[in-house]
Amino acid sequence: MLTLHTYHRSSASYRVRIALEIKRLPWVPAYVHLLRDGGEQHGAAFRGLNPQGRVPALIDGERILTQSLAIMEYLDETHPQPPLLPPDAAGRARVRSLAQLIACDIQPLQNLSVTLYLHDELGCTDDRIRAWQVHWISTGLAALETRLATERGTGRFAHGDLPTIADCCLVPQCYAARRFGVDPAAYPTLAAIEARCLELPAFAAAAPEKQADFE
């Protein structure tokens, strides 16, 4: 049985939950509250699993896996069906590129650790922090929209007609964008793909509001 250390609102955890549900793999959650008592991710118990102090962490037997993109690729390699990456090298490169645009270039700049540093160490006001988040989310989603709207690889989903790791990243980013005041509806291709994803049971089951730690 797989164990996922997760927090309902964590975009990175949300991605992995989607991948687990697409694969129809049995898993159990271990909830890590990112705000309670200064953040349970900073405690010794969780740091023993991930010294970086970030969710998700996936436990598979004696293996401890961290970083959402690496976890999703591990799941795809150990449980190939249904696939989360295309069969061709060019397709896999495109999916990874789209996923990394979100997971490496957008999401980290809205992340709790960054915004706490802006507030606590640099003295930024809440309004300035929100402006920071809106700027980087909007900039990233605009680039993603351009790619999805103009590249031949786009189909019903971010790449082709089956959900991939790129879609596992896209849906949580849209969820987060709304929280921070950016409406994905401004990006019509992206929004249409999100809507198709949310019609699928795997995406619905992984949603933050469906998690037992939702509040």
Side-chain angles (χ1 to χ4, degrees):
M1 178 72 72
L2 299 167
T3 299
L4 180 68
H5 291 258
T6 178
Y7 179 62
H8 68 276
R9 213 162 52 207
S10 157
S11 294
S13 298
Y14 191 174
R15 295 169 198 148
V16 176
R17 294 196 304 264
I18 294 169
L20 288 165
E21 295 295 337
I22 289 174
K23 296 286 187 182
R24 298 186 179 90
L25 295 174
W27 63 282
V28 295
Y31 298 113
V32 181
H33 200 296
L34 301 188
L35 299 175
R36 183 183 298 138
D37 299 325
E40 293 175 352
Q41 71 274 24
H42 302 305
F46 187 71
R47 289 276 186 172
L49 296 176
N50 183 4
Q52 193 179 17
R54 296 192 176 179
V55 291
L58 183 73
I59 311 302
D60 183 9
E62 296 183 355
R63 297 185 183 91
I64 301 170
L65 300 144
T66 61
Q67 293 293 338
S68 61
L69 296 182
I71 292 171
M72 289 191 289
E73 292 219 24
Y74 171 82
L75 293 174
D76 207 43
E77 291 175 6
T78 55
H79 302 85
Q81 298 300 322
L84 290 174
L85 286 168
D88 60 301
R92 290 193 298 272
R94 180 173 184 264
V95 166
R96 290 177 176 126
S97 175
L98 294 170
Q100 289 171 24
L101 190 160
I102 297 167
C104 302
D105 292 340
I106 304 176
Q107 188 266 334
L109 294 174
Q110 74 192 25
N111 210 20
L112 179 63
S113 60
V114 171
T115 56
L116 284 176
Y117 185 84
L118 291 172
H119 182 273
D120 297 344
E121 302 298 328
L122 301 183
C124 295
T125 65
D126 290 344
D127 286 345
R128 295 196 71 180
I129 291 171
R130 182 53 56 89
W132 163 284
Q133 292 169 319
V134 167
H135 170 76
W136 291 114
I137 293 170
S138 300
T139 300
L141 292 186
L144 184 61
E145 171 68 19
T146 297
R147 290 195 58 186
L148 294 173
T150 61
E151 293 180 358
R152 288 186 300 171
T154 305
R156 286 181 48 78
F157 296 96
H159 185 85
D161 294 328
L162 295 172
T164 65
I165 284 172
D167 303 284
C168 295
C169 292
L170 184 150
V171 168
Q173 184 56 58
C174 289
Y175 180 89
R178 292 186 181 92
R179 287 182 53 226
F180 298 126
V182 178
D183 188 353
Y187 311 97
T189 310
L190 182 157
I193 292 170
E194 182 204 17
R196 293 184 194 109
C197 289
L198 292 176
E199 292 174 353
L200 301 178
F203 286 82
E209 59 271 18
K210 295 293 183 66
Q211 308 313 304
D213 65 335
F214 180 74
E215 54 189 11

